[in-house]
């Protein structure tokens, strides 16, 4: 599945087509739809390759090369894509009668100005997309518009999800292998988090912190569905995990939500961070998974606000004291409906 939404690609197409019109204006005196079409044919394939949407296996092999070989390979592949895109564009324009070309040489030649312009636009767009990918979609846009320059009080849902047995894995296979195991696991989180509109806030050791604005996390049970989508994804790839690492990841997860303070901090390195009891309570709730022998927990406070859909339902496990919290917290296990006893008491 492509890791970018339709909105992302629509934005890319708009930016590239506008750059083509500006190129036409700069070199030929007026904006032209031909310039936009040429930009789309020459730039978009390069961006799609670098984003993993075009020839993903080829790009994976190139990315695995050493830096000098990577640069040489990307330069060659990039030029080929621009050359082919330019030729196809000219053939299309000639076929529909929009422009005429007197020879195949005229169709095949890519002007140096157009080549450097296409390369420049592709590099800029890919760089911005890479920064967006590193920071996360929501964090990138928030930093860009300065939403959290001043601390803001808001409500958010937090998911703490932790790998069980990471220490024993490292002792058995070594730290390097353990890091590869964690890297593969965290990569498996990405698609379910995107699908259910969450944001991976941070990785701490063998745990990941995922967050949603309250309305988005509770609507249609997005935050709850995300947990089980991650579990289902891992189970579906059971044989691959066993073949590559000799074991299938086992996870513990906890969901809680409430008011927090969100702020942008840092000078040389900016980060959006969250302050408040909600974050601490989520972390402590995750530690109860082992005590209560329940892999997925949700606080009663959050369960009241989640729109549960499908076969995932909460099973009430009682009120529990949470370290550092002045009062007890209602705790519920999340399970498939078929696994919940009919006598279960629910908190509504």
């Amino acid at each position: 599945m492509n890791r970018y939404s339709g909105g992302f690609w629509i934005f890319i197409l708009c930016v590239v087509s506008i750059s083509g019109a500006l190129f036409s204006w700069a070199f030929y005196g007026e904006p032209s739809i031909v310039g936009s079409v040429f930009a789309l044919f020459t730039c978009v394939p390069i961006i799609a390759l670098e984003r993993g949407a075009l020839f993903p296996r080829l790009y994976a092999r190139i990315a695995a090369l050493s830096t000098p070989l990577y640069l040489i390979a990307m330069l060659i592949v990039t030029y080929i894509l621009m050359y082919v895109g330019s030729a196809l564009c000219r053939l299309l324009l000639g076929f529909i009668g929009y422009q005429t070309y007197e020879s195949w040489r005229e169709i095949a030649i890519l002007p140096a100005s157009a080549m450097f312009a296409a390369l420049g636009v592709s590099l800029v767009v890919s760089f911005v997309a890479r920064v967006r990918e590193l920071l996360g979609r929501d964090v990138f846009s928030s930093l860009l518009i300065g939403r959290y320059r001043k601390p803001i009080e808001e409500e958010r849902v937090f998911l703490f999800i932790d790998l069980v047995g990471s220490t024993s894995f490292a002792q058995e296979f070594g730290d390097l292998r353990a890091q590869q195991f964690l890297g593969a696991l965290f990569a498996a989180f990405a698609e379910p988090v995107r699908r259910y509109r969450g944001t991976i806030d941070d990785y701490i050791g063998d745990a990941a912190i995922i967050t949603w604005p309250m309305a988005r996390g509770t609507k249609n049970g997005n935050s709850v569905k995300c947990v089980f989508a991650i579990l289902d994804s891992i189970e579906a790839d059971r044989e691959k995990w066993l073949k590559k690492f000799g074991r299938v990841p086992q996870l513990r997860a906890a969901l809680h939500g409430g008011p927090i303070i969100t702020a942008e901090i840092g000078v040389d390195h900016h980060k959006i961070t969250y302050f408040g009891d909600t974050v601490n309570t989520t972390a402590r709730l995750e530690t109860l998974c082992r005590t209560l022998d329940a892999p997925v927990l949700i606080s009663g406070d959050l369960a009241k606000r989640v729109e549960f859909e499908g076969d995932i339902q909460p099973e009430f496990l009682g009120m529990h004291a949470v370290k550092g919290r002045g009062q007890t917290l209602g705790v519920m296990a999340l399970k498939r409906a078929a696994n919940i006893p009919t006598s279960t008491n629910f908190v509504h």
Side-chain angles (χ1 to χ4, degrees):
M1 179 180 290
N2 183 16
R3 57 183 176 171
Y4 296 97
S5 65
F8 171 83
W9 287 110
I10 290 173
F11 175 76
I12 292 299
L13 293 176
C14 290
V15 170
V16 170
S17 61
I18 291 172
S19 71
L22 291 175
F23 172 82
S24 179
W25 174 72
F27 282 85
Y28 299 103
E30 61 178 359
S32 168
I33 190 172
V34 174
S36 296
V37 174
F38 264 98
L40 291 172
F41 270 80
T42 54
C43 295
V44 172
I46 301 170
I47 299 168
L49 174 73
E50 202 272 337
R51 296 291 85 200
L54 180 67
F55 306 131
R57 292 184 179 179
L58 172 63
Y59 182 74
R61 291 181 179 180
I62 294 175
L65 298 172
S66 63
T67 300
L69 291 177
Y70 169 82
L71 294 174
I72 294 171
M74 280 300 294
L75 184 63
I76 294 172
V77 173
T78 296
Y79 180 77
I80 291 173
L81 288 175
M82 286 193 296
Y83 178 86
V84 172
S86 174
L88 288 175
C89 182
R90 286 185 169 93
L91 286 172
L92 175 64
L93 293 174
F95 178 76
I96 64 176
Y98 196 88
Q99 284 192 342
T100 58
Y101 299 96
E102 297 180 359
S103 67
W104 281 101
R105 177 180 175 82
E106 189 177 357
I107 292 175
I109 290 178
L110 178 64
S113 59
M115 181 182 71
F116 286 114
L119 186 60
V121 171
S122 302
L123 288 174
V124 170
V125 172
S126 293
F127 174 77
V128 173
R130 179 60 61 88
V131 172
R132 175 183 180 270
E133 183 180 75
L134 290 171
L135 295 176
R137 179 188 63 245
D138 290 348
V139 172
F140 176 75
S141 59
S142 295
L143 287 173
L144 198 64
I145 64 176
R147 180 183 179 188
Y148 297 116
R149 284 288 172 82
K150 295 182 179 180
I152 294 175
E153 184 175 0
E154 60 181 358
E155 287 194 307
R156 297 191 75 88
V157 176
F158 288 91
L159 165 63
F160 278 52
I161 188 163
D162 180 38
L163 174 65
V164 177
S166 60
T167 301
S168 62
F169 185 92
Q171 290 173 344
E172 183 177 353
F173 297 100
D175 291 337
L176 178 59
R177 192 63 173 157
Q179 188 59 47
Q180 292 171 341
F181 189 43
L182 277 175
L185 177 63
F186 291 151
F189 290 179
E191 194 282 324
V193 171
R194 281 194 299 267
R195 192 194 322 165
Y196 293 107
R197 305 181 64 196
T199 300
I200 298 178
D201 174 61
D202 206 353
Y203 302 107
I204 303 175
D206 58 2
I209 303 174
I210 301 165
T211 184
W212 294 257
M214 180 62 74
R216 190 194 303 168
T218 55
K219 184 177 181 181
N220 302 322
N222 278 336
S223 54
V224 171
K225 289 179 180 177
C226 179
V227 179
F228 285 86
I230 289 172
L231 297 175
D232 291 344
S233 173
I234 291 172
E235 183 61 28
D237 291 334
R238 167 177 285 272
E239 295 303 320
K240 293 181 180 178
W241 287 105
L242 289 173
K243 182 178 179 180
K244 189 171 184 179
F245 296 103
R247 66 179 61 183
V248 179
Q250 300 296 314
L251 304 174
R252 289 191 296 258
L255 281 159
H256 179 54
I260 48 91
I261 300 297
T262 307
E264 180 182 333
I265 61 172
V267 178
D268 293 328
H269 172 67
H270 287 254
K271 185 181 188 301
I272 292 175
T273 191
Y274 307 101
F275 303 92
D277 181 62
T278 298
V279 180
N280 299 330
T281 299
T282 311
R284 289 158 185 157
L285 182 62
E286 190 270 326
T287 64
L288 283 177
C289 290
R290 180 183 299 177
T291 305
L292 299 176
D293 192 26
V296 185
L297 295 178
I298 186 172
S299 68
D301 295 342
L302 180 60
K304 296 174 185 177
R305 306 176 69 170
V306 170
E307 298 175 4
F308 287 97
E309 295 184 352
D311 62 345
I312 304 168
Q313 294 295 331
E315 176 188 355
F316 185 54
L317 300 181
M319 305 297 291
H320 292 266
V322 178
K323 183 179 179 182
R325 184 181 171 96
Q327 56 187 0
T328 57
L329 179 70
V331 178
M332 312 181 80
L334 290 175
K335 299 181 179 180
R336 304 286 188 187
N339 298 327
I340 299 177
T342 57
S343 60
T344 297
N345 293 319
F346 296 98
V347 175
H348 298 284

